[in-house]
Amino acid sequence: LVISQCVELVLEYPVVFTRDVFDDRNATLVEAIARREPARRHRFAAIVDAGVAASWPRLATMIERYARMYGTQLELAAPPWQVPGGEPAKQHAVVEGVWQRFAELRLDRQACVVAIGGGAMLDAVGFAAATFHRGVRLVRVPTTVLAQNDAGVGVKNGINAFGTKNMIGTFAAPFAVIDDSSFLATLEARDRVAGMAEAVKVALIRDAAFFGWLEEHATQLAAFELVVVEQSIRQCAALHLAHIATAGDPFEQGSARPLDFGHWAAHKLELLTRHELRHGEAVAIGIALDTSYATLAGLLDARDRARVLALLHALGLPTWHDALRAPELLEGLAEFREHLGGELAITLLAGIGRGIDAHDIREPLVRNAIDELSR
Ligand SMILES: NC(=O)c1ccc[n+]([C@@H]2O[C@H](COP(=O)([O-])OP(=O)(O)OC[C@H]3O[C@@H](n4cnc5c(N)ncnc54)[C@H](O)[C@@H]3O)[C@@H](O)[C@H]2O)c1
Ligand SMILES: [Zn+2]
């Protein structure tokens, strides 16, 4: 006997773009938390990235005030607490601490965790939330450009382990995402720019018109004009969301990972530099490398390569780091393949807006591409 089991699942969550999410007059958060059961009161916990807390010393008070203001619908389980920000968040000890706090607060599956922070902290807290009671509701409030346009809007979480990035994690859709651009005001200059690498990435593989738009607005983006930055974040997030919803592989069971264009080298560079490079900076270098490779391999016109490098430079993104010379760099290809299994599939460019899968990467050509970038 074979019972052919088949369950179709629908993942739906709103991604809301707003400003001043904890302002009394902004109902975005209460609506997100209460969206399925507007009539009852919702217990929630708030966790803040320590880097965000340092820049927003009144944030915890604002959250408490907000919860009181909407007291008929919200009940804050405990004062907001902090976890480390940046890559140090993505370790087992941090997740363990979050689980422990959830247990002390007796959070149940109908409770909501509101995580406010950068992509790294959201990955770690998202993993803790997805595994506590096999999954409590998670509202992400991403606070960096990269988290708002990419890391915070999708269905992945995870921590680093055994010397590998994102080795442990799950696929889990958030309950809601709230992109509040006000938080971007306190970002360090390099984090402002770093996140734009993901916009360049997704434009290059999916949307030539968006690439043109980025070129036209590069000066305003480099000057961090908020309205233009908001537009770029919305378009980039929309492209990521559309990919997850329509490309037919939301949980990445296949070998191809087009959204990870430029990432095989990026992940290795992050580890080789002990995270001295930000994820977005490493992605910019990875894009420059794979773009140069595509031209050397005869896939991409040299003028298109020049456009890509010119845009990265105009935005203030790096296209070089000495770690590109490390002999271990090329191990990144094998590690990238191992993450998914199956045959190697690296996204390369066949034109602006046209990503294609390559199954064979020629190492001598990668070295030539590195030599070219060094000049
Ligand atoms: N899950 C996914 O789908 C996905 C996708 C892409 C990237 N990522 C992950 O995201 C991480 C990178 O995230 P990131 O670029 O957001 O950086 P980050 O989370 O490493 O944060 C960078 C620094 O900025 C601080 N910070 C955050 N928001 C701030 C604010 N508003 N004001 C002042 N300081 C602030 C943080 O404390 C940290 O020190 C990487 O670990 C990467 O692997 C995950
Ligand atoms: Zn990325």
Side-chain angles (χ1 to χ4, degrees):
L1 171 74
V2 177
I3 298 175
S4 182
Q5 170 79 322
C6 176
V7 183
E8 285 196 14
L9 295 175
V10 174
L11 306 177
E12 67 79 30
Y13 55 93
V15 179
V16 189
F17 300 87
T18 189
R19 287 184 184 180
D20 302 313
V21 67
F22 295 112
D23 187 286
D24 295 350
R25 287 154 300 182
N26 191 334
T28 307
L29 180 68
V30 64
E31 282 168 8
I33 293 176
R35 72 191 176 86
R36 292 226 178 113
E37 311 93 351
R40 76 165 166 89
R41 200 159 177 239
H42 294 262
R43 208 157 169 256
F44 79 106
I47 312 183
V48 182
D49 179 315
V52 176
S55 300
W56 298 81
R58 290 191 53 252
L59 185 60
T61 316
M62 284 159 69
I63 297 169
E64 288 176 313
R65 201 181 122 92
Y66 188 90
R68 277 198 304 276
M69 186 77 192
Y70 291 96
T72 48
Q73 284 146 293
L74 298 180
E75 179 202 342
L76 187 59
W81 74 95
Q82 296 177 23
V83 296
E87 216 58 32
K90 292 176 67 161
Q91 41 177 317
H92 182 263
V94 172
V95 172
E96 174 102 35
V98 174
W99 280 329
Q100 188 171 349
R101 193 83 184 102
F102 287 172
E104 286 161 8
L105 298 175
R106 300 190 165 276
L107 295 190
D108 60 36
R109 278 204 195 142
Q110 308 259 314
C112 191
V113 172
V114 178
I116 303 145
M121 173 275 191
L122 294 176
D123 269 357
V125 174
F127 177 57
T131 45
F132 188 76
H133 282 309
R134 299 202 180 92
V136 294
R137 296 175 179 187
L138 172 70
V139 173
R140 300 196 198 111
V141 181
T143 59
T144 66
V145 172
L146 191 132
Q148 294 193 358
N149 70 10
D150 177 349
V153 301
V155 293
K156 295 191 277 184
N157 59 52
I159 55 173
N160 307 328
F162 311 110
T164 304
K165 251 188 92 88
N166 305 325
M167 183 157 262
I168 310 289
T170 71
F171 289 98
F175 194 69
V177 180
I178 302 175
D179 270 12
D180 175 353
S181 60
S182 318
F183 279 112
L184 306 180
T186 54
L187 274 184
E188 264 182 50
R190 63 186 288 203
D191 285 306
R192 292 179 166 192
V193 178
M196 295 179 195
E198 302 284 6
V200 176
K201 170 203 78 181
V202 76
L204 278 173
I205 55 170
R206 280 278 187 276
D207 187 343
F210 183 39
F211 187 85
W213 184 92
L214 290 167
E215 287 180 317
E216 276 163 40
H217 295 84
T219 315
Q220 288 149 293
L221 289 167
F224 214 70
E225 282 181 27
L226 191 60
V227 176
V228 182
V229 172
E230 284 173 336
Q231 280 175 289
S232 80
I233 286 173
R234 286 172 198 199
Q235 180 61 11
C236 182
L239 286 167
H240 277 98
L241 289 164
H243 176 85
I244 293 166
T246 63
D249 192 15
F251 291 171
E252 299 176 1
Q253 301 301 297
S255 298
R257 237 181 353 168
L259 289 182
D260 277 354
F261 170 54
H263 278 56
W264 74 263
H267 285 161
K268 196 71 196 172
L269 286 170
E270 285 179 81
L271 286 168
L272 286 170
T273 62
R274 295 173 186 275
H275 299 288
E276 176 213 300
L277 274 178
R278 297 283 206 252
H279 178 73
E281 293 168 339
V283 169
I285 297 168
I287 290 172
L289 178 61
D290 285 356
T291 302
S292 297
Y293 178 91
T295 300
L296 290 174
L299 293 166
L300 183 74
D301 195 281
R303 276 167 307 191
D304 286 340
R305 170 185 183 270
R307 276 177 75 187
V308 175
L309 295 182
L311 176 59
L312 294 171
H313 290 150
L315 293 172
L317 285 161
T319 54
W320 176 260
H321 190 286
D322 286 341
L324 280 170
R325 292 261 187 236
E328 305 94 308
L329 184 83
L330 284 155
E331 291 166 9
L333 282 169
E335 288 163 11
F336 194 79
R337 190 197 62 74
E338 273 166 33
H339 194 60
L340 281 95
E343 68 176 330
L344 178 71
I346 297 287
T347 301
L348 292 177
L349 295 181
I352 304 278
R354 272 188 62 212
I356 52 157
D357 279 349
H359 300 290
D360 172 39
I361 297 290
R362 286 176 274 163
E363 298 196 357
L365 272 193
V366 177
R367 293 203 184 86
N368 292 351
I370 292 171
D371 287 340
E372 243 182 38
L373 283 182
S374 73
R375 291 194 286 271

